[in-house]
Amino acid sequence: MLGTDTCSIEEQSTSDADTKRVHNSSGSLTKENIEKSTESSNKKADQNEKPVTEEEEQVARKFDHSTMIPLPIFIGRNEISTYKYVDTKDKFVEVMKELQEMIKNKQMIAVDCEGVNLSRFSSITLINIGTRDMVYLIDILKIGNSVFDDGLRSILEDSGIEKLMFDCREDADALLHIHKVKLNGVLDVQILEVNNRIHVYRNGYTKIRSLKHCLEVFLEDDTLLNVKLQGQTSMSVSRNIWEKRPLNDNMLKYASVDIIGLFKLYDALRTRMGHIVWKAASSRYCDCTRSRSRMYRDGSGILPKGILL
């Protein structure tokens, strides 16, 4: 039997290296061995540590929860676009930089608002704005009204920044009377569609068609239409779905299609009117609902007089 002052040596494996830890008979580590073990471990850790490359940093940022990752959406045969869901202030700041760069490079943009019974009598819960290749879904409900003074107002009110829209009347009404934003620079694709039709009723008005109807008539395939129908199915289950969070994938894609579809319809209908005439008619269309007194949301399926001169 060994005496009480005799030390026993015990080997223990760790995840980094095999470190010999020396115990005395009572099982406690001596101060000298603790210092040696710690010094050895630190040296090995320093030797194994590799500098982080720029590529590795980019990958880490990509999967950070606060970073937006563009999500794909099929928009036609062998065609894919992307969208980003913007639900925090930090993401919004990033998006505004990207949008300003797109506008600086003369890329055409499209705009659409979502809400329950969209008008001055309700609320805007989502503003969608984008180009042919990227759609930003800006969640007003989650970020708050500060988005307008933090960049959206200047884009929406600038007549020099032309914006494709489809039946902009209630969007303009809600923006002005709820957020004091006077929408300008609109190019309304619905005006292009209605311009040369002869379905004029005896009271002098012309029937207008929905975005869904136009997608059915003017697009070569039904890819976008199917996405829109899936979103409408979700809306039929929950009438107030635009006020609920989180929004499901069907609704995010539905909102994206409302932007992407505008570019496809624009390509199909752009030769129907001269640009100057179209922009002037769109301006009158934009102003016709927001400029009058209303007691309730009194939408109509006919084109108001005086829009097309």
Side-chain angles (χ1 to χ4, degrees):
M1 181 178 290
L2 296 175
T4 56
D5 60 345
T6 304
C7 292
S8 64
I9 300 178
E10 177 183 344
E11 292 188 0
Q12 178 179 341
S13 296
T14 67
S15 59
D16 295 328
D18 292 336
T19 306
K20 291 184 178 180
R21 310 174 73 184
V22 182
H23 291 256
N24 61 20
S25 59
S26 62
S28 61
L29 289 170
T30 67
K31 180 178 179 181
E32 180 183 359
N33 288 324
I34 290 175
E35 291 175 348
K36 288 181 179 179
S37 177
T38 302
E39 183 179 356
S40 175
S41 297
N42 289 340
K43 284 181 179 179
K44 290 179 180 179
D46 291 340
Q47 290 172 357
N48 292 331
E49 186 176 357
K50 296 179 180 179
V52 178
T53 65
E54 183 178 349
E55 181 178 358
E56 289 170 335
E57 286 183 350
Q58 291 175 349
V59 172
R61 285 195 298 269
K62 179 179 179 182
F63 291 100
D64 185 86
H65 73 280
S66 63
T67 302
M68 290 177 294
I69 299 175
L71 300 173
I73 179 172
F74 287 95
I75 62 172
R77 297 187 186 98
N78 301 317
E79 284 186 271
I80 297 178
S81 187
T82 52
Y83 68 93
K84 291 181 178 180
Y85 176 49
V86 186
D87 61 345
T88 68
K89 187 68 174 290
D90 288 342
K91 291 179 182 179
F92 177 75
V93 171
E94 179 183 336
V95 160
M96 288 308 302
K97 293 177 182 177
E98 293 179 13
L99 273 174
Q100 293 290 356
E101 188 65 24
M102 292 172 179
I103 292 169
K104 181 181 177 181
N105 293 332
K106 306 299 182 182
Q107 292 189 54
M108 179 175 280
I109 64 172
V111 175
D112 184 49
C113 300
E114 303 291 358
V116 179
N117 295 321
L118 183 65
S119 67
R120 69 181 73 178
F121 305 105
S122 182
S123 62
I124 298 174
T125 61
L126 201 70
I127 291 186
N128 315 316
I129 181 168
T131 65
R132 293 176 182 271
D133 303 316
M134 175 63 72
V135 179
Y136 302 104
L137 309 177
I138 302 171
D139 197 329
I140 309 300
L141 205 60
K142 295 198 70 174
I143 305 175
N145 296 335
S146 62
V147 296
F148 294 102
D149 291 331
D150 290 340
L152 270 188
R153 180 188 304 277
S154 62
I155 293 175
L156 295 173
E157 291 188 339
D158 191 337
S159 62
I161 303 174
E162 296 181 337
K163 312 154 189 76
L164 294 180
M165 299 189 72
F166 192 96
D167 196 348
C168 62
R169 292 175 295 173
E170 296 296 357
D171 303 66
D173 187 69
L175 285 168
L176 179 63
H177 292 279
I178 299 174
H179 300 290
K180 309 304 179 186
V181 174
K182 191 169 185 180
L183 184 63
N184 210 336
V186 173
L187 296 173
D188 201 301
V189 179
Q190 191 176 58
I191 298 296
L192 285 183
E193 192 281 325
V194 77
N195 182 50
N196 291 328
R197 279 194 287 114
I198 58 173
H199 302 297
V200 179
Y201 292 78
R202 62 184 178 208
N203 58 7
Y205 290 101
T206 302
K207 188 175 181 179
I208 54 179
R209 291 171 173 168
S210 68
L211 177 59
K212 174 178 172 291
H213 183 91
C214 291
L215 292 176
E216 291 174 333
V217 172
F218 296 105
L219 299 193
E220 296 179 355
D221 66 84
D222 56 3
T223 306
L224 292 183
L225 183 62
N226 287 337
V227 174
K228 197 164 178 65
L229 289 174
Q230 289 174 3
Q232 288 176 339
T233 299
S234 295
M235 285 189 283
S236 67
V237 174
S238 177
R239 193 176 70 86
N240 297 327
I241 196 168
W242 290 117
E243 294 177 342
K244 297 181 178 180
R245 295 298 180 272
L247 290 169
N248 62 38
D249 288 344
N250 283 349
M251 299 313 299
L252 295 177
K253 290 179 179 179
Y254 174 97
S256 300
V257 162
D258 280 355
I259 293 295
I260 298 165
L262 287 176
F263 289 99
K264 286 186 167 286
L265 289 176
Y266 169 70
D267 290 340
L269 303 171
R270 61 192 298 176
T271 59
R272 290 196 170 198
M273 294 180 76
H275 188 86
I276 295 176
V277 174
W278 178 30
K279 188 171 183 178
S282 296
S283 179
R284 291 189 289 270
Y285 202 36
C286 185
D287 199 47
C288 69
T289 297
R290 69 184 177 190
S291 62
R292 61 183 176 85
S293 298
R294 305 173 77 189
M295 298 301 294
Y296 55 90
R297 191 180 189 276
D298 52 353
S300 172
I302 53 178
L303 187 71
K305 289 181 177 179
I307 302 301
L308 295 175
L309 302 179

